Structure formats: structure tokens, C-alpha cells
Amino acid sequence: MNIPMLLQHSHRSFLKGLLRTPFRRYCFIFHSSTHLGSGVPCARPFNSLGLHCTKWMLLSNGLKRKLCVQTTLKEQTEELSDKEQRFVDKLYTGLIQGHRACLAEAITLIESTHKRKKELAQVLLQKVLVYHREQEQINKGKPLAFRVGLSGPPGAGKSTFIEYFGKMLTERGHKLSVLAVDPSSCTSGGSLLGDKTRMTELSRDMNAYIRPSPTSGTLGGVTRTTNEAILLCEGGGYDIILIETVGVGQSEFAVADMVDMFVLLLPPAGGDELQGIKRGIIEMADLVAITKSDGDLIVPARRIQAEYVSALKLLRKRSEVWRPKVIRISARSGEGISEMWDKMREFQDLMLTSGELTAKRQRQQKVWMWNLIQESVLEHFRTHPTIREQIPVMEKKVLSGAMSPGLAADVLLKTFKSRD
């Protein structure tokens, strides 16, 4: 059966015929209307098959089906009550209009661990994602925002730098969002959330939004919902997103999987270049900034800069178009910060032109999906009725030495598999 004949059939016959055709690689896109994408009339709309916007692709290794965002959105929206629908619509409308209060409420919603609120958050995120895609198309496929991760050890001057840097950007017409992640106490579970208090000038700027969030025990120093918060900030019209994290080792790797550029801030006298390589931080950085390069610290800052420049030469090249730079800055005097922004823009332009930025974001989406799957599977495991009863028993056996941790884990997993 040839393609023109195939297109005259109804959708159900079309798909059956499609499976019998010998061609190796064709792509067909159908919409929920009485016409196919090319304008060829069909017998009835795709809605009658229960598919609202479906993409079918026949490859040499078989048929692959990809559901569009709109399908999931419609299914999720139909499950909401009128009150919930009004609530989500209010947040969405306020968010895309740039209302900071709606952005704050939306981030609070996605940070909630309440089951129903998590479902509402996903509906909101799908709506924002559709809007985000539309805006990117208007922007000729270019990203709407520049995502920058900032990390460094305590005392490196991250908050001081962000306030000076943020004020400079807002004065140049940018809208800046700062997602500051604070570590939660392992003992009390609380978090200080003091970053906004430190950035007094920036927090009063109407073109800047600062959102401190607790890690809530999340490994790596980034919250469970940092990626979603980035998406909401971009939907709210912020074109520069700064993610500040606690510099405790794992956070650098977690942040690198969600930003376009990773900037490492280091204070002078923070150890030699061997320490930098040993920590594994340098290999993740696209830009290293030696802070507090003023007064008596200028000489140590120059020495550290030279050491890290030599250290970077020993590392494997991660990009074809960019080599990591080491610069000196001072948030107190402002020295080097404007030049730092120029380097960051140069990085963005080079990565965008080469296509590496687009590929990087696609990989990050995949990592984000699997992180959420791992979290959901672990939560499902812990809350399973049978497992919940067995966990205290197994923990006692492990604590008493009657059973090894590995054996206890195997027993729980086998029980989960047999009962689930």
C-alpha cells in the first residue's frame, strides 16, 4: 500500500496499514482535527481514538510512540475539581504575567509533599511547559533564560557576590531570579534560610526575585524541586537564573546537571591546586572565580589564580568550543565582576552557536526524569504496607548484628517484589 492511498483511510485503518508498509524511516504527525498535518482530509478526528496529539515514528527497529505534552495536560486537567482548576489557572495566569506573589505561591506548591498538592503542581508545570515551548518558538528556538550554578565553600563570599552581581544585571535591564539552597539540620530538620536577609539591596529590587529553599535532607545540596522552580522562574519572565548551593562536595555535581554554566567561587588561601583536583570540583567548573581579591588578599589571590590555571591544564577537555577560565574578582570594590559577566556571555554565545547548549539541556531533561523516578520508586518502597511493617524488624536485626545490612536489604527487596 503506498502513502497517498494510505492517507485516504480512517485513522484506525491508517495505523493498521502503516504497520504493514515496508518503508524504513518516515515520520507522521497527527493533530486532533479532521485534517492531517499536511492538510489531507481524514474520515474522522483522532479524538475518536482517544488520542489528542500523538506522534508516531516508524524506524527500522520498530514503531515508537511519543505522546505530546497536550495529551497529558488534558488528562490531568479533567481530574481536577472546579475549585482546583480555578486555583491552578489563577497561579498560571499570574505567573506568566510576572506577578512575584504567584511565582512564590507556585514554588511553594511544587515544594509541597502533600499527595494532592503534588498532583496540582504537575498540572501547573505542564501548563507552564507548554507556554515555555511556545515562547521558545517565538524566540527562534533559543533558550529564554541563562541558567548559572554558583557554588563554593562556606565563607567564599557567595551571597556578597550575588548581591553586587545581581544589582549590576538588573541595572542593565535583566530580570534575575536567585534560588538559594540552604542545608537542613540533620538533627532538627530546620534550616536557617538566611541568604535573603544578607542580600538586603537585591531583595528590594523589583527586577530580582530571591527564593531560599531548604535541602530537606536531599543529597547533593539541591532541593527535590529545584528543576521545577527553574522552569517556573523562566515562565515568570526571568532571563537569568542563579542557583546558589552549599559547597559540600556533592552539590557541585548535582547543580551541573541542571544549569547551562557552572561557576565555582573560591576564597584565597583555600589550598593548592592539588586540593582542587582531589576534590573533583574543578573538573565540573566552566569558570573559576577567586573572590576577595582586594587589600592584603591580592597577592594570595594571584597565587591561587596561577595555581588553578595550571591545574586546569591537566584536566580532560569537556567542550569543543570552551576552555574553563580562572579570574579574580572583588565584590567589595567591584573589580573584575563586569569582566566576569562578559566571560559568561561569551560562554553562552559559543555554546549556543555550536549546538552544545541544546544538547546539554536535552541530557539534563533525561537526568531530571530518572532522578524523579528514583525518588518515586524509593518512596513507593518505603510506604508499601508490607515493607513498612518489616523495616523496623530488619533495622533491629541489623543493629543487633544478627543480620548484615546487605542481607536485610535483599530480604526487603524480595518481599517488595513478591507483594507488589
Side-chain angles (χ1 to χ4, degrees):
M1 183 181 289
N2 59 29
I3 296 175
M5 287 296 294
L6 207 55
L7 293 177
Q8 301 302 318
H9 289 247
S10 68
H11 295 301
R12 215 176 283 275
S13 301
F14 175 79
L15 294 175
K16 289 178 181 176
L18 185 61
L19 292 170
R20 293 195 295 267
T21 52
F23 39 82
R24 293 183 179 178
R25 186 181 179 92
Y26 286 93
C27 180
F28 302 92
I29 301 175
F30 311 113
H31 294 275
S32 55
S33 65
T34 55
H35 287 77
L36 291 175
S38 60
V40 181
C42 305
R44 53 193 171 136
F46 234 45
N47 283 344
S48 60
L49 297 180
L51 301 173
H52 306 287
C53 179
T54 310
K55 188 176 188 180
W56 290 82
M57 186 176 291
L58 191 65
L59 301 171
S60 56
N61 61 346
L63 188 68
K64 294 183 179 179
R65 179 182 178 208
K66 296 182 180 179
L67 291 177
C68 290
V69 175
Q70 288 87 344
T71 309
T72 310
L73 180 58
K74 184 166 185 177
E75 288 173 355
Q76 289 181 324
T77 305
E78 287 172 351
E79 297 174 358
L80 301 183
S81 66
D82 291 340
K83 184 178 179 181
E84 289 172 337
Q85 185 63 57
R86 288 195 300 271
F87 173 67
V88 171
D89 288 343
K90 183 198 80 169
L91 284 185
Y92 171 73
T93 305
L95 178 70
I96 64 174
Q97 289 177 353
H99 297 165
R100 288 152 58 108
C102 289
L103 174 59
E105 195 172 354
I107 295 178
T108 301
L109 180 67
I110 65 170
E111 287 179 348
S112 174
T113 54
H114 187 274
K115 185 178 178 182
R116 188 56 182 169
K117 288 184 177 180
K118 286 171 77 173
E119 292 171 356
L120 293 177
Q122 290 306 313
V123 176
L124 176 63
L125 283 168
Q126 291 286 11
K127 289 171 74 73
V128 174
L129 188 60
V130 172
Y131 173 77
H132 190 269
R133 294 264 173 87
E134 291 172 352
Q135 294 300 308
E136 279 194 343
Q137 288 175 357
I138 294 171
N139 200 33
K140 299 179 181 179
K142 295 179 181 178
L144 299 176
F146 185 31
R147 305 170 183 172
V148 180
L150 287 172
S151 192
K158 295 186 291 294
S159 298
T160 309
F161 164 75
I162 290 174
E163 176 157 55
Y164 189 97
F165 185 62
K167 288 295 291 180
M168 183 190 77
L169 293 177
T170 55
E171 287 170 3
R172 296 186 181 188
H174 293 284
K175 287 192 72 177
L176 172 74
S177 176
V178 180
L179 302 176
V181 183
D182 262 15
S184 298
S185 168
C186 296
T187 307
S188 64
S191 187
L192 189 60
L193 303 178
D195 293 284
K196 193 170 183 177
T197 309
R198 287 157 151 186
M199 306 175 198
T200 52
E201 292 291 327
L202 192 61
S203 60
R204 291 197 292 264
D205 195 321
M206 293 305 295
N207 287 320
Y209 174 75
I210 304 173
R211 173 74 182 208
S213 299
T215 59
S216 302
T218 308
L219 179 66
V222 288
T223 67
R224 171 180 55 87
T225 53
T226 303
N227 265 309
E228 285 94 337
I230 292 171
L231 183 63
L232 292 177
C233 289
E234 291 182 3
Y238 292 89
D239 62 333
I240 298 173
I241 316 292
L242 294 182
I243 301 98
E244 180 203 354
T245 68
V246 287
V248 292
Q250 288 295 320
S251 60
E252 289 81 7
F253 297 93
V255 170
D257 283 330
M258 62 180 69
V259 296
D260 302 329
M261 185 179 196
F262 177 58
V263 179
L264 180 64
L265 301 180
L266 294 174
D272 59 16
E273 71 273 20
L274 183 60
Q275 288 291 341
I277 297 173
K278 190 168 69 177
R279 286 198 301 267
I281 298 172
I282 295 300
E283 62 188 13
M284 303 303 300
D286 298 302
L287 184 66
V288 179
I290 310 301
T291 59
K292 305 180 182 180
S293 179
D294 52 48
D296 296 337
L297 293 176
I298 289 180
V299 174
R302 285 175 179 166
R303 180 178 57 82
I304 291 292
Q305 181 185 20
E307 289 177 348
Y308 274 93
V309 166
S310 63
L312 288 171
K313 294 176 183 176
L314 303 175
L315 300 177
R316 187 173 60 185
K317 193 175 179 182
R318 291 189 299 117
S319 169
E320 295 296 325
V321 296
W322 177 261
R323 292 289 292 177
K325 307 286 193 299
V326 184
I327 60 173
R328 289 181 295 108
I329 61 170
S330 170
R332 189 169 70 177
S333 66
E335 182 188 350
I337 292 184
S338 181
E339 291 78 7
M340 180 179 178
W341 174 239
D342 293 337
K343 295 284 185 189
M344 293 166 72
R345 291 301 300 268
E346 181 189 353
F347 170 87
Q348 185 187 25
D349 293 339
L350 288 172
M351 294 291 282
L352 199 56
T353 306
S354 67
E356 288 188 28
L357 186 58
T358 304
K360 187 176 185 179
R361 285 202 174 189
Q362 289 172 346
R363 289 195 303 269
Q364 289 172 353
Q365 293 280 13
K366 183 174 155 185
V367 171
W368 180 10
M369 180 190 76
W370 280 108
N371 286 342
L372 292 175
I373 289 173
Q374 289 173 4
E375 182 187 320
S376 298
V377 168
L378 183 59
E379 184 65 23
H380 181 54
F381 176 80
R382 284 176 171 169
T383 56
H384 193 279
T386 308
I387 299 299
R388 196 166 55 224
E389 294 173 0
Q390 289 291 321
I391 285 176
V393 178
M394 291 298 169
E395 285 179 345
K396 285 182 181 178
K397 289 183 178 181
V398 171
L399 289 172
S400 65
M403 185 180 287
S404 69
L407 180 59
D410 288 340
V411 171
L412 287 172
L413 287 170
K414 286 177 183 176
T415 307
F416 181 70
K417 289 177 183 177
S418 62
R419 299 296 176 90
D420 201 34

